[in-house]
Amino acid sequence: MKLNDLRVCNLPDPVGYAMDAPVFSWTVEDAAGEQAWASVTIRCGEENAFESGETPDADSLGWRVELPLAPRARYDYTLTVCTTGGERASESGFFETGKRDEPWTARWISPMASQASAILRKTFIATNEEGAARLYICGLGVYEAYLNGNKVGDEYLAPGYHAYDFHLAAQTYDVSGFLRTGENTLEIWLGEGWFKGRLGFEGGYTDLYGDSLYAIAELYAGDALLAKTDETWEEWTSPVSFANIYDGEVYDARIVPRKAGAVRLAAPEHCGALCDRVSLPVRGQDCFHAEPIRTPKGDLIFDFKQNLTGWVVFNAPLPKDVRITLTAGEILQDGEFYRDNYRTAKAEFSYISDGTQRFVRPHFTFFGFRYMKVDCDAPVEAAWFKAVHLRSDMPQTGEVTTGSEKVNQLFRNAVWGMKDNFLEVPTDCPQRDERLGWTGDAQAISETACQTLYMPAFYRKYLWDMRAEQSVLGGSVPNVVPRIKRDMIGEHGSCPWADAGVIIPWNTWRYFGNKELLAETYPGMKAWVDCQRKREEAIGGAHLVKDGFHFADWLALDNPQPGPFGATDPLYIASAYYYRCARIVAESAEILKLQEASEYSALADGILAAIREKYFDQNGLCAIQTQTAAALAIMFGLTTEPAAQGKALRGLVEANNNHLNTGFVGTPILCPALSMTDNHDTAVTVLLQEDFPSWLYSVNLGATTIWERWNSVLPDGHMNPEGMNSLNHYTYGSIAGWMVGYLCGVRPAEPGYRKAIIEPKPDQRLGEAKTVLRTAAGTFVCGWKCDGDAVRYEIEVPFGASAELSLPGQETKSLRAGSYTF
């Protein structure tokens, strides 16, 4: 028997994160029966801080322990689980608090000589190198800290991208191994980042949150405060002479850091309070080696074979004064380097050598790229270079393989699209002059993300920022979070972008089952529905959305009029989402045992009745004849005749030559709507199409991620001239969720997969398919393989979970934990 996936507040061994109380979660492997009880013992130093005893109702999906938490304290715990068969296992972990509500004795400081990039420096004396040492720190825009020349922590781009005007995030680092007896030097390297650097497209804006760089830090060894930011610190010159999120970085190694002057005491204005972090660290993940290409024009290009978010790093013996510049691109066109789709983002990293061979990397930027064009006056070798993928640190939890390598590549592309765009916020794209937390894109992919990646901590931070923005918008949800409070990207309340405020936390609850997180996010969910209700009542009620700008089925192909808007009535889509969100809030209130559940249930009933009266015919079918409208009717429960609506949807697909023509609303739900209405064969037919528009069209053209448009690249290999063409958007990658939930057939029947539906749908054209899901309840496996007219099924249900198995032509079976073959 083994205990795995031990987490506290959705994090493994968290240090310095915001938490009211520890919430433990775990999974069990190699055990029979069910959980009989669990216990946890928590120690703080030598003291026993908490002892639960044998607790029968301890929930492995989220067990909250009421423990008063001290600031700057480490808590070690031992979790024990006992089964009904008497098996027992224990596992240990720890969590550590940050500053919490302890006042800071440090002062905010700011450089005086440079507000683009600077080093803040302090030398101090430590008398005893024994004992735990911790650095509590925040730097704005972005920072890296060094103690005695050693980089502190293994994360980058801290403190990350969040709604700085509502809260500032402090990080906690263990620096015990770097502290030494005698003289020590602490440095804080600062760059502009999202805080004050250029942000937003069409040129963007600078100084959105502040026009200076700032830092605050305290370094403790045990209870002794060894160093803190104050007026005694010094500003030193930085070899990072330029750094910008969009444009890249210039690192001049010839600049030897030297004292530039004193710092000033200055705190960031118009910003929120300094608090413990919520966001995940951004860390280096996979590495890719360079394949050199010489273009017809003679340019040297490095191909890393994967469109990714991150950096290129190298260790090259370059002569002094030699500059090497790497310029990011996603595609070659006619064999030549192409980067017009980056718009105004320069996306370059330049390094000027001091003649010393050293490890070189960017510090205060990141790129989205597959290719790097190399400009250098000296010879270079591809073996010196590798690409490092960066993302917020969350593991992949879901995998799918089939008998089609093209479909397998599509699944990989979908997962990579999410990995590349889950850096601090769920961005639209990682490469051009945008990289913003668009709520519509995030909403559309959220279910698929929860099926394939461990999302609770990442979404907790995003929804934290979202609720902050809602607090000054009457509950409305912005188009982007954090909100750039200028121009159209600062607007709010557009369907289905704003519906992210309800859909994302609900999907997180469905797939991970953590009630504490649902309770934390519920106020924002409710606020958006209340905002809609107030707005629709102000213009006459009837429980329908009647006005406003709505992105709706963005980039659908069914509108004969040119432009990015789909043909489906945006007010129908907005009303459908209004109903769905009201129903979710009602169900959430019931789960949380809130009296207002009946109020929102009645609201949802009223909206549904109004939608049916306006948009549905006497046969209970949607009167709007688009694929998206029909799929919404099925998936949101708007139709009273789902089988007939499914037949109508199938007819719409067949009338389009068995191709989709959906956009951001319709694409995530098209294949699920077909599969759940006994039209799965049509869904597979749509999946396997290879000409435009289809998923495999991009695979055939060499895509390694998901594109923004169905034809971002034309059949001749040229970029679509319509513009707005990212080759690394994730929304259409939602087909990966259908592969997990319908093709392989594993879906949660109860939150967190404590009980699952296993309903695989084999298809001879694919031959076989298998999913492995490392869920909050444990690892589910479901695979099928066709052998002539026979199909073999391999199924695994984890300890403590159950499943309802539905195989074609057979009665439903109830499965307990174990491995099965049918």
Side-chain angles (χ1 to χ4, degrees), residues 722-740:
E722 293 185 44
M724 200 173 73
N725 276 307
S726 158
L727 300 187
N728 205 345
H729 264 60
Y730 50 46
T731 301
Y732 295 152
S734 52
I735 189 63
W738 171 83
M739 294 184 201
V740 171

Side-chain angles (χ1 to χ4, degrees), residues 283-300:
R283 290 193 171 112
Q285 308 285 340
D286 306 271
C287 292
F288 300 86
H289 295 286
E291 178 179 301
I293 297 172
R294 281 289 177 184
T295 73
K297 292 181 179 179
D299 288 334
L300 175 61

